[in-house]
Amino acid sequence: MTATLIWILVGLVVIGLYLSWTAGRLDRLHARIDAARAALDAQLLRRASVAQELATSGVLDPAASIVLYEAAHAARQAEEEHREVAESELSQALRAVFGEVPQVDAVRAAPGGEEAANELAQAVRRVPMARRFHNDAVRAARALRRHRKVRWFRLAGHAPFPLAFEMDDEPPSALADRLTA
């Protein structure tokens, strides 16, 4: 009788340790999502700021400046539920403005244009990476939260179900080509 109680107690302790480890892992994944989202927000803000600065610098033609400025301003001012759409529209505006190599060359030829174009190229290159890191963390947390043990024992607590950030983040081809050169 005593041996049976000891084995039951050992089994309960092992199960408790396993559940505690799983809850800790889930908590670390949620912290990783928060850090990745902060990095993504910083990269999106940097891209919009550089685009807005370039639009007001006078190195672009007036029509391109207006299109780029309005898209960058909308991306910076967008509320959370409309952020993905606004960022996608900024990506589309960047592709429209910097879709052709002569436009990028004209920007680079202007005074201060070389630095601005390089900074924008780096910003548009970092956004997809930051988004990929965020979405990978979300995918891992969602996979763990789907397990029965996490649902049955409510190991996620009151944390909201993590959502991926889906947007069009394809960089302008002419700008991306110049980045590697």
Side-chain angles (χ1 to χ4, degrees):
M1 180 73 173
T2 317
T4 305
L5 288 175
I6 290 174
W7 281 111
I8 291 173
L9 185 61
V10 168
L12 289 175
V13 167
V14 168
I15 290 171
L17 288 173
Y18 178 71
L19 291 175
S20 175
W21 176 80
T22 304
R25 181 171 169 230
L26 190 57
D27 187 51
R28 288 188 300 276
L29 283 171
H30 281 244
R32 191 172 122 201
I33 289 171
D34 291 342
R37 182 57 188 243
L40 176 61
D41 286 342
Q43 292 305 322
L44 291 171
L45 181 62
R46 180 173 183 250
R47 180 180 77 154
S49 297
V50 171
Q52 204 168 19
E53 183 180 315
L54 190 58
T56 59
S57 68
V59 297
L60 297 172
D61 63 88
S65 292
I66 290 171
V67 167
L68 192 58
Y69 180 83
E70 286 180 355
H73 181 71
R76 289 183 70 179
Q77 301 297 320
E79 293 187 21
E80 194 59 38
E81 60 269 5
H82 303 293
R83 182 104 187 259
E84 293 172 347
V85 173
E87 294 294 346
S88 294
E89 289 173 355
L90 176 56
S91 295
Q92 293 166 359
L94 286 167
R95 282 197 305 275
V97 172
F98 296 106
E100 306 210 1
V101 175
Q103 179 70 10
V104 176
D105 290 340
V107 169
R108 289 185 183 275
E114 183 73 32
E115 295 82 21
N118 285 338
E119 192 173 353
L120 183 61
Q122 289 175 358
V124 299
R125 182 182 54 119
R126 289 180 180 155
V127 167
M129 288 189 297
R131 189 175 74 88
R132 196 171 311 120
F133 288 141
H134 175 267
N135 288 349
D136 286 346
V138 166
R139 197 171 303 115
R142 291 175 90 169
L144 185 58
R145 287 183 69 156
R146 280 192 200 100
H147 289 142
R148 277 189 222 120
K149 65 181 173 266
V150 173
R151 291 191 320 263
W152 287 350
F153 292 101
R154 300 176 193 256
L155 299 181
H158 296 289
F161 197 73
L163 299 174
F165 194 86
E166 298 299 333
M167 65 171 271
D168 174 8
D169 59 3
E170 183 180 336
S173 58
L175 199 58
D177 293 344
R178 296 297 177 166
L179 185 62
T180 59

